[in-house]
Amino acid sequence: MSLLSIEHLSLSIGDTKILHDVSIDVCPGEIVAITGESGSGKSLTALAVMALLPRGSVTDGHIFLENTDILRTSERDLCRMRGCSMGMVFQEPMTALNPVQTIGDQVAETIIIHEKTSKLDANIRATAMLRRVGLNVNPSRYPHELSGGQRQRVVIAMAIALRPKLLIADEPTTALDVTTQATILELLKDLVTEFDMGLLIITHDLAVVAEIANKIAVMQDGHIVEAAATYDLLHNMRHPYTKSLFNAATHKVILPEYIPAPPLLSVESVTRTYNLPRVTVFGSRPTFQALAGVSFHISHGERVGLVGESGCGKSTLTRAILGLEEIQEGQILLDGQPVFTKKSLNLPARRKMQVVFQDPYSSFNPRHRVDRLIAEPLHVLNDSIVGKYREKAVSKALEDVGLTPEDGTKYIHEFSGGQRQRIAIARALIIEPELIIFDEAVSALDVSIRAQVLDLIAGLCRKRQLAYLFISHDLSVVRTITDRVMVMQSGKIVEQGDTEQVFSNPQHAYTQKLIAAAPKLPEVTYNVEVI
Amino acid sequence: MSRGLVIGAFLTLVFVALACVSFLWVPYDIETLQIPNKLKTPNLNHWLGTDHFGRDILSMVMMGARTSIAVALLAVGIGMAIGVPLGLFSAARRGSFLDEIIMRGNDLIFAFPSLVIAILITAVFGASAVNAIVAIGIFNIPVFARLTRAVALPLWERDFVLSARVCGKSETRISVEHIFPNIMNLMIVQGTIQFSLGILAEASLSYIGLGAQPPTASWGRMLADAQTLVSIAPHVALVPGLAILLMVLGLNLMGDGLRDRFDPRIKKNRT
Amino acid sequence: MIRYTIARFFSLIISLIVASLVIFLVIEVIPGDPASFMLGINAREDTLAALRSEMGLDQPLTLRYFDWVIGMFQGDFGNSWTYKTPVSELIADRIWVSLPLAIYALILSTLIAFPAGIVAASRRGGASDVTIMGATQMGVAIPNFWFAMIMVLIFAINLRWFSAGGFPGWSNPLQGLKSLTLPAISLALPQAAILARIMRSSLLDMLLEDFIRTARAKGLTRSQALWRHAVRNALIPVLTIIGLQFSFLLAGGIIIEQIFFLPGLGRLIFQAISARDLIVVESVVMLLVFTVIMVNFAVDITYAIVDPRLRRKS
C-alpha cells in the first residue's frame, strides 16, 4: 500500500486555478520526483502535502498520508504530523535557518515539540542526527558560520530528526554547487533506504530527476501530463511536452567554426586580494585571495567558457574584466588597451565590450522604457548617436534578437524572463561590441527558454564575428556553446583547453571531480507511435 | 485605492484648504481683541467658540494651519534637499572615508533631538518660527540621508546599475538616472510621515514658546494659552489639539496608504 | 564580541568629542562675547568683568574648551550666574526627577507596545489587529502635551485621583512615583503607539522569512513559530527604535515637566534660557546629549547579544 497518495488534487488561490486533478502515489522506500518548468505548480503540490499552502488557497480532492486525509485534518493535528510523520527540506539553505539560534537547538526543537523528553536528551539526539547527515561541526554553531551545503544538511537533520515516514524536498540542491549537490543527493538516497522513508522530490533539473528518482511525474500548467517509473518514462516518452522538455535539456547548438585569430582580450597574471575583518583586536587583517595570478586570452571571434563553483573567483574575474573591480597586480588588455586606468574606466576599451547578466528581473531599471534601456550603452560612443540613427540602431538590435521595433515603447515588466534576456542581449549588441561577457546569462531560465536563447547566441555568431566569455556553473550548457573552456578553482585557472577535449578527457583532478559530480541525463528514446 | 489613503488625503486637503483660504478670508480678524466676548462656547456666530481674548477660534485655527504647514513643509524640504543628496552620495561612495564621515555625522545629529537643537538655537538667537524650521529641518537631514543610503545600497548591486557602470556612466549620472527614480516613491512616503512629525514638533516648540511668536497664530501657542483655562472652558483646549490630531492622523494615513500602494511586498502573502 | 565592543566604544568617544565641540561652539563662540550676551546691554562694567573671569573668557578658546571638558569629568560644570550655585548641584537636584520620569515612561511604553505589537501581528487582519492598529494610529497623532492636558482635566481635576502637578520628592517613594505617573503615561502612550506599530511590522516581515516556514514544517504551530523564532529576530530593528525613543522621552520630558510643574531638567533649562544663563544651558544640553549617546552605545552592545552574526566571526 502506498504511503502517500494524492488523489485528484485541485487547488485555486483567489480566482486562479493552480492545480488540476493531480494524482501521485509514493510508497515507503521510494523516491518520486515531480518535475516541470517554473509556474507548473510543482512546489505548491509539495506545500499542499505539508498543508502549508498560502492563505486563501482552496483545495479539492484527497491527500492521504497512510490513512489520514491531510485536507480534512484540523490544524492542531497537522502540527502534530509535521516534523513527526512528514518532514520537509527547502530550496534556499541560506535563509531556511533561524539566524539567531544555534543549529543544535534548531534540530533539537523538532524533537522537543513532539516528544515529552528532556532538553538534554533532545540535544544528544540532535547531535547524533547532525553526525548522521554528515555534519561534523559543533552543534553550538550558528547558521552564518556554515556553508550552503552544511546548512542544507542541518535542514535535512531537522526534517528527519524523528524519522518521518515521508520526506518532501523542494529543489533541495538547486542553490548548491555541483559537487555539493552530488553529496546531498547521495545523502538523501541513503536516508531513504536506511529509514525506509518515502521521498517526494521537486526539481526542475531533469538530470537530477533521472539520477535519483524511481518514479517521475512531469507537470505542466498544474496538470500531470505524464507519470511513470523512471526507466519507462525515459525510454518510452508519450506526451509531447515531456519530449520537448527533455529535448530542450539536451539541446545542442551549431556554432560556426572558429578560425584562429589574434588575441582580443588578454588577462595577464591578475591578482585580487580582499582584506577581511580583523580576528583579534590589534592583529593584522587576514586576507583572502580571490584571484591568484590568472592569465588567459580570448581571440577575435573565439567563444570561451569559464566554469567553477561558487567562491572560486569567477565573479571577481568577471567584474575585473568589466572594469568594475580594481586589481592589485597584472593587467587586463582589450585589443591592446587596458580596461582600467588609474581608478577610471578606459572608454575606448569599453566600446568593444558588453555584458549580459544572470537575473532577467534585476537587469533593467523598471522605470525606463525598453528603447531607452537598450540605447544606454550608446553612452560610451564618442559622438553620441541621436535622433533617427539612434532609433534605427534600437530597432535593429531588437530585430536581431527576435523582437519587434514596437517592443521598444513598452516597459520591462511587460516581458517574460526569456524575452528580458533577449532584450539584455539586444542592449549588449547595440554598440556592436567585439566581446560579450555572458555572466550566467541562461542560468535563471527554464530549459525550453534556455534552448531558445542558446540558439539565438549561436545564430548571432553565424551572422557576425563575435567573441564571448560564457560564465556558467552548468557544464552541459558550456559544452555546447563554447570552443574552449577554462576551469577555475580557488582563484586559479587549473585547466584550459578545447571544450570537447576537456570534457571527454579531463586532466586536472578538480576538473575530473566536477565532471563526475554533474548529474547526467541518460540517452532518452522516444515512443514513435504517439505523435 | 485603500480607505486609509482616501480618508488621509481628505483630512490633509481640508487643512491645506483652510490654510489657503486664510490668506483671502477669515471669519474674524484675530488681531483685534474683544474681551467682553471671551470664552464663548461654540455658537452660530463663532462656530468653534472664542478664546480668553474673545478671538474667534475657527479663525485662529485657520491661521494656525498656515503656520504649522509652512514650518513643517519647509523643515521637511530642508531635510530632503540636504539629506537625499547626502544619502545618494554616501551610497555611491559606499565604504569610502567620506561615506563613513557622513554616516557618523548623521548618527551624531540623532543624539540632538530637535527639541535640544531648538533649545540651543533659542538660547543664542532667541525664539522664532525660523528657528523652529531650522531645528526641525536639521533633525530631518539624517532621517532622509540614512533612508536614502539604506535603500540605495542594494540598488548599487543590482545588475542594471552594473551594466550602466559597464557603459562608462559616472556615479553622479547613475545616481540621478537609475538610483533616484527607484527610491522616489519611498521618499514621498517618508516625506509624508516626516511632514506629520514636523507638525507635531512645531506644535511642541510653539507650545513651550520656542516656535512662532505672537501675534503669529499657531496651534501650539493656542494650547499653551488654553492650559490654565482647561477646567473653565475645555473647548479652548480641545479645538487646537483636535486640529493637530486630525492633521497628523490624515498625513499618517496618507503615508501608510501610499506605502501600501508602492510596496509590492505587501501583496505577497505566504503561510 | 570584544572587537565589536571596542569598535563601538571608539565611535562613542568620537561622538562625545564632536558633540561637546558643537555645543561649545554654539554657546560660547557664536554669540561673540557670551558675557555681554548674558547680561544684556545695560550691564555694569564690573559685573561684566566678574562674569568674564568666572567664565574664563580672558583665556584662549582651546584652553576654555579643555577646562570645560576636564571640569565635567571632575563633576564641575561651572557656577550658575543666576542661581549663584554650582551647576552640578542644580543638575543633581533635578536629574532625580527627569531620569526616573524617562525610565518610567520607557518601561510603560515597552510594556504596552510589545504585547500590542505581537498580538496585532499574530492576528493579522483580525478584529484585535484592526483595533490595536486604529488605536496606535491615534496614539501616533496625539501631541503628548495635549494628551497630558486632557489627562489632567480628567484624572486630576474631575476625578481627583492624582494631583494636577508638583513633585513631593523621593522621601516617600510611592508618593513620588504616583506624582510621576500621569506625566509618564502622557509621555509613554504616543511612543508606545509608535513602538507597537514597528514591533508589528517587524514581526510581519519576519513571518515572511523562510525560516518561519521551516519552523512550521517542523510542526510548530503558528504562534509557537512566532514566539520561538520571529520575536527574537524582530527585536533587532525594534531595539534601535527603543534607543532613539529614550532620547525623545528625555527631551519630551522637558515639555511634560512644564505642564505638571515638575522640578526637573526641563524647568531648569527654560528658566536658564529666559535668564540667558548660558552656563546652565550648555551643561544641561551636554548632559542630555551625553545620555542619548550612552543609551545608543548600550543598544549597540545589546545587538551583539541578540544577534550572533555581530559577534566574532570564525
Side-chain angles (χ1 to χ4, degrees):
Chain A
M1 202 199 111
S2 50
L3 167 69
L4 172 77
S5 62
I6 303 177
E7 292 171 7
H8 310 293
L9 173 68
S10 300
L11 164 68
S12 50
I13 300 177
D15 293 333
T16 337
K17 290 213 93 186
I18 311 271
L19 299 178
H20 312 262
D21 200 21
V22 169
S23 299
I24 294 169
D25 285 328
V26 181
C27 296
E30 186 182 44
I31 302 179
V32 175
I34 305 181
T35 190
E37 295 185 295
S38 43
S40 60
K42 53 190 193 305
S43 286
L44 283 168
T45 311
L47 288 175
V49 176
M50 292 297 286
L52 287 175
L53 286 168
R55 280 187 185 192
S57 306
V58 181
T59 49
D60 192 32
H62 302 274
I63 301 176
F64 288 106
L65 180 66
E66 295 191 305
N67 294 317
T68 322
D69 187 349
I70 288 168
L71 296 181
R72 282 161 194 81
T73 305
S74 72
E75 179 60 28
R76 248 182 75 182
D77 294 335
L78 283 170
C79 283
R80 284 198 198 117
M81 290 169 70
R82 290 187 204 115
C84 187
S85 46
M86 53 188 183
M88 184 157 180
V89 177
F90 299 92
Q91 171 172 356
E92 205 30 85
M94 304 315 266
T95 53
L97 293 170
N98 185 345
V100 303
Q101 214 176 46
T102 64
I103 56 170
D105 284 351
Q106 296 191 49
V107 176
E109 188 177 39
T110 310
I111 301 165
I112 289 170
I113 54 169
H114 288 290
E115 285 179 14
K116 283 205 172 98
T117 180
S118 71
K119 186 128 200 284
L120 184 71
D121 173 59
N123 282 337
I124 293 169
R125 285 164 65 187
T127 311
M129 196 44 86
L130 283 170
R131 283 238 182 80
R132 172 62 197 89
V133 298
L135 197 63
N136 290 312
V137 303
N138 193 328
S140 67
R141 292 284 198 98
Y142 286 95
H144 71 270
E145 300 171 310
L146 307 182
S147 70
Q150 289 175 315
R151 292 187 203 193
Q152 198 62 309
R153 286 174 196 270
V154 177
V155 178
I156 293 174
M158 263 160 47
I160 60 161
L162 292 171
R163 305 188 168 226
K165 301 182 188 87
L166 174 71
L167 181 64
I168 299 170
D170 185 5
E171 304 273 6
T173 58
T174 305
L176 305 174
D177 281 324
V178 269
T179 49
T180 321
Q181 162 167 296
T183 56
I184 295 286
L185 289 178
E186 202 54 44
L187 171 67
L188 286 174
K189 263 200 248 180
D190 286 352
L191 291 171
V192 167
T193 330
E194 188 184 323
F195 296 176
D196 201 27
M197 281 189 305
L199 172 62
L200 181 66
I201 184 169
I202 316 294
T203 177
H204 71 284
D205 190 330
L206 295 171
V208 168
V209 173
E211 199 165 290
I212 192 174
N214 305 119
K215 221 158 73 184
I216 300 177
V218 180
M219 281 188 86
Q220 182 196 19
D221 298 333
H223 296 273
I224 290 197
V225 295
E226 191 164 353
T230 304
Y231 185 87
D232 290 346
L233 188 111
L234 290 179
H235 297 285
N236 195 9
M237 269 178 215
R238 290 159 190 284
H239 197 277
Y241 180 73
T242 319
K243 289 176 194 171
S244 70
L245 207 57
F246 277 82
N247 256 337
T250 51
H251 186 70
K252 299 259 187 300
V253 301
I254 303 144
L255 285 176
E257 204 182 335
Y258 160 64
I259 305 140
L264 168 67
L265 173 79
S266 51
V267 173
E268 288 158 25
S269 44
V270 165
T271 299
R272 176 73 172 101
T273 310
Y274 292 106
N275 286 325
L276 300 176
R278 283 186 188 81
V279 181
T280 54
V281 179
F282 297 107
S284 60
R285 299 178 72 163
T287 55
F288 169 71
Q289 202 162 41
L291 297 176
V294 173
S295 298
F296 66 91
H297 69 270
I298 297 176
S299 302
H300 283 278
E302 192 182 19
R303 281 93 36 167
V304 179
L306 178 65
V307 296
E309 296 185 295
S310 52
C312 73
K314 284 188 307 219
S315 3
T316 311
L317 181 61
T318 315
R319 291 169 69 103
I321 295 173
L322 291 170
L324 299 174
E325 185 99 37
E326 269 184 276
I327 53 173
Q328 278 122 350
E329 280 168 47
Q331 58 175 350
I332 301 171
L333 300 175
L334 189 63
D335 234 5
Q337 288 168 312
V339 294
F340 201 78
T341 37
K342 294 263 171 209
K343 293 209 157 210
S344 63
L345 296 170
N346 185 352
L347 285 186
R350 301 273 96 223
R351 278 175 214 136
K352 299 184 175 131
M353 176 160 64
Q354 272 297 314
V355 60
V356 177
F357 290 108
Q358 169 176 6
D359 184 359
Y361 292 89
S362 105
S363 287
F364 300 99
N365 186 341
R367 314 219 164 253
H368 293 171
R369 252 169 48 169
V370 167
D371 47 4
R372 184 170 173 193
L373 293 171
I374 291 180
E376 185 164 42
L378 293 175
H379 175 80
V380 290
L381 296 185
N382 256 347
D383 29 14
S384 84
I385 304 172
V386 281
K388 262 236 157 76
Y389 187 78
R390 186 192 174 95
E391 227 170 82
K392 249 166 109 180
V394 170
S395 311
K396 183 173 178 301
L398 279 169
E399 279 167 356
D400 277 348
V401 297
L403 295 167
T404 62
E406 289 75 48
D407 288 328
T409 60
K410 295 183 187 161
Y411 284 89
I412 198 69
H413 63 82
E414 298 172 55
F415 296 91
S416 68
Q419 285 171 319
R420 287 177 196 213
Q421 223 49 347
R422 283 171 189 272
I423 295 171
I425 295 173
R427 174 169 64 182
L429 285 175
I430 196 159
I431 55 166
E432 311 204 327
E434 308 263 347
L435 175 71
I436 296 185
I437 313 276
F438 289 104
D439 186 1
E440 300 274 3
V442 297
S443 304
L445 303 176
D446 278 326
V447 274
S448 53
I449 310 289
R450 189 175 76 190
Q452 290 168 15
V453 173
L454 290 176
D455 277 340
L456 170 67
I457 295 172
L460 291 170
C461 290
R462 283 193 291 274
K463 264 190 244 168
R464 53 182 289 246
Q465 194 190 44
L466 182 66
Y468 55 73
L469 178 63
F470 196 98
I471 299 139
S472 180
H473 68 275
D474 189 331
L475 300 182
S476 67
V477 171
V478 172
R479 191 167 187 170
T480 170
I481 198 82
T482 63
D483 306 311
R484 193 154 61 83
V485 69
M486 305 185 290
V487 182
M488 214 173 165
Q489 185 199 16
S490 323
K492 293 195 187 77
I493 291 178
V494 294
E495 182 166 0
Q496 57 176 312
D498 179 77
T499 303
E500 260 326 298
Q501 246 163 40
V502 171
F503 276 94
S504 49
N505 187 16
Q507 297 302 311
H508 193 275
Y510 178 69
T511 319
Q512 290 164 355
K513 191 176 145 198
L514 214 55
I515 292 175
K520 276 159 283 293
L521 207 54
E523 283 298 309
V524 291
T525 44
Y526 304 111
N527 186 335
V528 271
E529 297 154 38
V530 185
I531 310 134
Chain B
M1 227 190 271
S2 71
R3 207 168 31 168
L5 186 56
V6 174
I7 299 173
F10 174 74
L11 280 174
T12 311
L13 274 179
V14 166
F15 282 102
V16 171
L18 279 180
C20 289
V21 169
S22 78
F23 281 103
L24 304 171
W25 171 84
V26 281
Y28 293 89
D29 178 20
I30 60 163
E31 279 174 39
T32 42
L33 312 183
Q34 288 181 295
I35 310 292
N37 212 5
K38 69 175 182 182
L39 296 181
K40 286 271 177 340
T41 46
N43 55 53
L44 276 181
N45 290 333
H46 298 278
W47 289 2
L48 298 176
T50 60
D51 72 354
H52 57 301
F53 288 129
R55 293 175 295 186
D56 178 51
I57 291 182
L58 177 62
S59 310
M60 301 266 292
V61 165
M62 286 170 73
M63 300 295 276
R66 213 150 98 175
T67 318
S68 282
I69 292 172
V71 169
L73 211 54
L74 284 169
V76 175
I78 291 175
M80 270 187 164
I82 301 177
V84 174
L86 269 183
L88 285 174
F89 178 83
S90 249
R93 297 279 168 84
R94 60 215 166 281
S96 73
F97 184 66
L98 270 173
D99 171 34
E100 186 68 14
I101 296 278
I102 291 174
M103 288 341 278
R104 288 293 141 263
N106 280 330
D107 291 350
L108 192 74
I109 297 180
F110 269 128
F112 290 82
S114 53
L115 186 64
V116 173
I117 300 179
I119 288 172
L120 270 178
I121 296 177
T122 316
V124 177
F125 297 103
S128 72
V130 176
N131 288 349
I133 294 172
V134 173
I136 304 169
I138 289 179
F139 193 71
N140 268 316
I141 295 172
V143 173
F144 284 101
R146 271 190 178 184
L147 180 70
T148 304
R149 183 176 183 274
V151 292
L153 273 188
L155 287 176
W156 273 97
E157 294 308 314
R158 292 278 293 273
D159 291 343
F160 68 83
V161 172
L162 291 184
S163 79
R165 286 173 67 195
V166 170
C167 295
K169 290 197 167 166
S170 67
E171 283 164 351
T172 321
R173 188 143 180 198
I174 292 176
S175 291
V176 172
E177 271 183 26
H178 291 294
I179 309 289
F180 184 68
N182 281 294
I183 63 170
M184 215 169 52
N185 282 346
L186 208 61
M187 290 304 137
I188 294 172
V189 171
Q190 193 62 33
T192 319
I193 306 286
Q194 291 307 118
F195 189 14
S196 79
L197 292 176
I199 300 271
L200 276 177
E202 190 276 334
S204 317
L205 289 181
S206 49
Y207 171 76
I208 49 175
L210 300 185
Q213 298 299 304
T216 312
S218 83
W219 294 342
R221 271 219 82 71
M222 290 170 72
L223 280 174
D225 292 341
Q227 195 182 343
T228 45
L229 308 166
V230 170
S231 47
I232 351 171
H235 73 276
V236 187
L238 278 177
V239 173
L242 275 177
I244 300 172
L245 177 84
L246 289 177
M247 170 104 212
V248 173
L249 186 68
L251 283 166
N252 282 337
L253 285 174
M254 198 162 88
D256 286 353
L258 288 175
R259 191 198 310 268
D260 292 353
R261 247 177 107 75
F262 291 147
D263 188 358
R265 232 169 37 133
I266 306 284
K267 288 164 200 150
K268 205 167 76 179
N269 189 340
R270 258 191 265 156
T271 46
Chain C
M1 179 80 189
I2 296 170
R3 225 182 65 75
Y4 175 81
T5 312
I6 290 179
R8 290 287 100 196
F9 187 73
F10 272 123
S11 87
L12 163 90
I13 298 296
I14 292 173
S15 303
L16 284 176
I17 293 173
V18 180
S20 64
L21 272 173
V22 169
I23 294 169
F24 181 77
L25 280 178
V26 171
I27 298 284
E28 299 212 15
V29 180
I30 292 180
D33 178 5
S36 55
F37 176 83
M38 283 168 70
L39 297 175
I41 27 172
N42 300 325
R44 279 169 48 193
E45 201 48 50
D46 54 333
T47 18
L48 212 57
L51 179 60
R52 282 203 181 112
S53 78
E54 159 75 32
M55 291 179 77
L57 293 183
D58 37 1
Q59 287 162 341
L61 263 184
T62 39
L63 201 67
R64 264 162 62 201
Y65 173 72
F66 284 113
D67 275 352
W68 177 54
V69 172
I70 292 167
M72 283 193 297
F73 268 113
Q74 298 165 336
D76 173 15
F77 291 80
N79 289 315
S80 157
W81 189 250
T82 42
Y83 292 87
K84 307 285 179 203
T85 47
V87 178
S88 51
E89 280 177 24
L90 290 174
I91 291 178
D93 278 354
R94 287 143 202 266
I95 199 150
W96 291 112
V97 178
S98 295
L99 205 58
L101 176 61
I103 294 171
Y104 192 179
L106 189 69
I107 293 172
L108 278 181
S109 144
T110 316
L111 283 182
I112 298 167
F114 274 41
I118 292 173
V119 168
S122 61
R123 316 254 161 90
R124 186 168 69 137
S128 39
D129 181 25
V130 172
T131 317
I132 290 172
M133 280 302 101
T136 60
Q137 194 67 266
M138 296 299 279
V140 171
I142 288 183
N144 58 13
F145 54 93
W146 184 61
F147 185 57
M149 282 164 66
I150 291 176
M151 296 237 295
V152 168
L153 184 65
I154 297 172
F155 294 105
I157 296 173
N158 286 338
L159 296 173
R160 298 184 179 280
W161 290 355
F162 295 90
S163 65
F167 182 69
W170 287 110
S171 52
N172 181 346
L174 269 182
Q175 276 299 319
L177 212 57
K178 193 181 167 198
S179 66
L180 288 186
T181 298
L182 278 189
I185 291 176
S186 37
L187 262 178
L189 272 192
Q191 299 298 321
I194 296 175
L195 201 59
R197 292 181 77 82
I198 289 166
M199 187 78 202
R200 172 182 180 270
S201 73
S202 176
L203 268 175
L204 288 180
D205 281 352
M206 285 307 144
L207 289 177
L208 288 177
E209 290 286 333
D210 282 350
F211 63 79
I212 294 297
R213 198 178 51 179
T214 314
R216 297 274 285 135
K218 276 199 264 189
L220 273 73
T221 62
R222 199 180 286 279
S223 65
Q224 273 175 326
L226 182 96
W227 279 102
R228 285 164 173 249
H229 293 281
V231 171
R232 186 154 166 210
N233 279 287
L235 272 185
I236 296 166
V238 168
L239 265 178
T240 319
I241 305 300
I242 293 184
L244 274 180
Q245 285 205 337
F246 190 78
S247 66
F248 280 108
L249 290 172
L250 211 57
I254 295 177
I255 301 175
I256 296 296
E257 281 169 17
Q258 292 292 96
I259 300 170
F260 290 95
F261 305 102
L262 296 176
L265 292 175
R267 291 287 292 286
L268 180 64
I269 207 166
F270 284 117
Q271 283 154 358
I273 287 178
S274 46
R276 293 194 164 184
D277 192 341
L278 290 187
I279 303 175
V280 173
V281 175
E282 185 180 51
S283 307
V284 177
V285 167
M286 187 63 222
L287 186 73
L288 288 176
V289 172
F290 172 78
T291 318
V292 172
I293 292 176
M294 289 311 283
V295 168
N296 286 339
F297 174 68
V299 167
D300 280 345
I301 300 304
T302 324
Y303 270 157
I305 297 166
V306 177
D307 190 346
R309 285 165 294 188
L310 285 177
R311 286 181 222 154
R312 199 177 115 182
K313 287 175 187 175
S314 52

